[in-house]
Amino acid sequence: AEYMGYNRKKAMASLLAKLRMGATGILGKRFSTVSGSKPPECDDEKIKKVYQNKISNLVKEKDIVLFMKGTAKEPQCGFSQYVSHMLAIYKVAKFHTVDVNVNPLLKKSLREYSSWPTIPQLFVKGKLVGGYDIVKEMHENGELEKLFRIEGLLYEDKVFQGDEESNQLAKCCSSFAQQPSHISFI
């Protein structure tokens, strides 16, 4: 997100890089990665635990979460693009994306949390479905649509459960329903 030329992600990344490369800390003490000393707030293990808690809460709170490289509007990898495209094709009611490229520790934390080595990673109702290869296979054999239908996540299923006036409004706004929201961890 950029505001009047200020990019928050780049500023945070720059600050963390400076701290890790030997910038002077708040109390004037110089931290050096060579000597192994770091400011306590930059402890990688603590940051990974924070990220894993955020990941856990997010996948429990949201019905569909796609951890990917880039965003649905601007994917940075063909595999991520394919999985986000599958979600759009099935017209799931709503899905959320998280760009794992914002921080290497986020990517590492996700891999440890899910015990899955590759990105993208698709979570449905708090459970890991898998990455590109699994989603592709499920799409090809019809299991992906079946999963979304069983979980009540297909937009068309939600539209026809309401009253007639709501259905008409929803049909007019069907393109809005499949717009992903992007969640930032920074």
Side-chain angles (χ1 to χ4, degrees), residues 9 51 54-55 58-59 62 64-72 76 80 84 87 95-103 106-107 110 119-123 180-186:
K9 287 181 185 178
Y51 278 149
K54 284 185 171 189
I55 292 166
L58 182 63
V59 299
K62 307 293 183 188
I64 301 173
V65 181
L66 176 61
F67 291 90
M68 62 184 290
K69 294 177 181 177
T71 65
Q76 296 176 357
S80 292
S84 66
L87 296 173
F95 69 98
H96 306 273
T97 63
V98 177
D99 182 0
V100 298
N101 284 338
V102 297
N103 188 324
L106 171 59
K107 195 181 295 186
L110 175 64
I119 306 293
Q121 293 185 16
L122 177 64
F123 286 80
S181 70
H182 181 71
I183 298 169
S184 177
F185 268 61
I186 291 183

Side-chain angles (χ1 to χ4, degrees), residues 136-152:
K136 184 175 189 270
E137 182 180 322
M138 289 178 74
H139 166 66
E140 290 171 351
N141 66 24
E143 289 179 26
L144 193 58
E145 181 179 7
K146 184 178 177 182
L147 170 68
F148 292 144
R149 195 166 300 283
I150 288 170
E151 295 294 344

Side-chain angles (χ1 to χ4, degrees), residues 148-186:
F148 292 144
R149 195 166 300 283
I150 288 170
E151 295 294 344
L153 298 172
L154 292 178
Y155 180 68
E156 63 188 45
D157 292 345
K158 290 190 177 294
V159 170
F160 299 108
Q161 292 174 0
D163 59 52
E164 187 57 34
E165 186 178 334
S166 298
N167 286 344
Q168 291 302 319
L169 178 62
K171 286 178 189 175
C172 293
C173 302
S174 64
S175 63
F176 175 76
Q178 50 185 314
Q179 297 298 317
S181 70
H182 181 71
I183 298 169
S184 177
F185 268 61
I186 291 183

Side-chain angles (χ1 to χ4, degrees), residues 103-114:
N103 188 324
L105 286 176
L106 171 59
K107 195 181 295 186
K108 190 172 185 175
S109 301
L110 175 64
R111 288 179 172 148
E112 289 178 12
Y113 172 81
S114 65

